[in-house]
Amino acid sequence: MNILITGAGRGLGAELVAEALDRGHGVIAGVRHPELAQEPLAQLAAIHGDKLTIAALDVTDEGGIASLAASLKGQGRTLGGIINNAAVLNARDTQIEALDLQDMLTTMDINLYGPMRVVKHFLPLLTESECSIINISSEAGSISNAYPGDYPYAISKTALNMFSQQLHVYLRERGVQVLSVHPGWMHTDMGGAEAPTDPRSSAGGIISLMEQRNAPQGRFMFLDYTGKDMDI
Ligand code: NDP
């Protein structure tokens, strides 16, 4: 299977690339600045050669996304999976009285509209058998676990879950599996050094969810990276 992964230069994104390549999949690794791509992507490119394509992909740039999709389609490239991983965590622990609404706009632009732009333009390439779209969500987006603060991030992930559900309903007859996945609290730049989860373990779980495709059909699927149901 060929998999498009956004935010692929570091954190969970880079581990998803490494895990997918190790399992024999082809990867299109979307990064904001491919000219600056160093470790770990440069090392993976040296090992895996043509199986890895490193591409310019800023999820806020709809024109760039459309051009990339058209260029890959023109080369006859196809996809079996899209992983919308890129995201930001702005205005952490900021209460409503102090919230700068610009942080809300920026976060929604990346965390929600980013996946929407990517799916809009890459859906025509999702033609391999047994396709999946995985939107990397967060337990912070769970309405039943809402806590004050982190408004932009939490609200963007709740809305992303709605986008997943809408896509699920739209694409189920085509047999496309659509999941929202909480990757665990991982030690990445976003999660911090004290986080308990190794992003490589999370990546392994997420690629397995794509490969196994055993999520029950017909209902909203918000899972953690081990396949356990998350509260909506
Ligand atoms: P990091 O902050 O470590 O990495 C974020 C990635 O997103 C980077 O590759 C960054 O690229 C990319 N990115 C940011 N803005 C854009 C943009 N406009 N266009 C393209 N790429 C962009 O985050 P994590 O790896 O920790 O998080 C990965 C996913 O997991 C996210 O969706 C996050 O919300 C989710 N998550 C993470 C948790 C954690 O504990 N870490 C917990 C729950 C969910 P660049 O290098 O160019 O900045």
Side-chain angles (χ1 to χ4, degrees):
M1 167 190 346
N2 292 301
I3 306 171
L4 172 72
I5 299 169
T6 67
R10 60 188 167 97
L12 175 62
E15 300 298 342
L16 285 164
V17 173
E19 184 71 25
L21 289 167
D22 277 357
R23 296 193 194 193
H25 301 297
V27 174
I28 297 162
V31 294
R32 282 196 276 199
H33 304 290
E35 70 283 4
L36 302 179
Q38 295 174 344
E39 300 307 329
L41 287 189
Q43 194 182 358
L44 290 169
I47 298 168
H48 295 278
D50 288 352
K51 283 283 209 183
L52 173 61
T53 303
I54 301 172
L57 200 166
D58 182 328
V59 300
T60 65
D61 174 9
E62 182 163 359
I65 293 168
S67 299
L68 176 63
S71 154
L72 293 169
K73 194 157 191 281
Q75 295 164 28
R77 305 279 293 267
T78 59
L79 292 174
I82 296 172
I83 304 181
N84 283 305
N85 165 74
V88 289
L89 172 51
N90 286 331
R92 188 160 215 178
D93 293 330
T94 304
Q95 289 309 324
I96 187 67
E97 297 89 335
L99 187 64
D100 180 343
L101 269 295
Q102 187 57 48
D103 285 326
M104 202 66 224
L105 293 171
T106 304
T107 304
M108 294 297 271
D109 198 22
I110 296 169
N111 295 10
L112 175 65
Y113 309 151
M116 294 178 79
R117 292 182 187 102
V118 168
V119 172
K120 174 179 169 183
H121 291 286
F122 278 92
L123 203 49
L125 280 81
L126 203 67
T127 55
E128 296 176 7
S129 58
E130 310 204 318
C131 294
S132 296
I133 297 172
I134 302 230
N135 290 324
I136 302 296
S137 185
S138 169
E139 62 188 347
S142 166
I143 290 176
S144 48
N145 290 327
Y147 56 92
D150 296 354
Y151 290 97
Y153 185 75
I155 291 170
S156 72
K157 294 298 190 181
T158 305
L160 181 66
N161 288 347
M162 180 59 161
F163 178 50
S164 297
Q165 172 63 356
Q166 289 177 308
L167 279 181
H168 162 69
V169 172
Y170 179 51
L171 296 173
R172 65 185 161 201
E173 282 184 6
R174 285 192 228 173
V176 177
Q177 167 180 256
V178 183
L179 304 176
S180 263
V181 177
H182 167 57
W185 180 25
M186 305 170 291
H187 47 80
T188 61
D189 293 336
M190 185 186 289
E194 73 281 15
T197 308
D198 175 2
R200 185 58 181 262
S201 308
S202 179
I206 292 163
I207 300 294
S208 292
L209 289 171
M210 292 192 91
E211 291 172 341
Q212 291 160 6
R213 288 176 46 85
N214 55 6
Q217 295 299 300
R219 68 177 175 95
F220 176 60
M221 294 306 302
F222 180 25
L223 307 174
D224 76 3
Y225 68 100
T226 69
K228 194 161 98 7
D229 271 322
M230 296 289 298
D231 289 335
I232 297 168

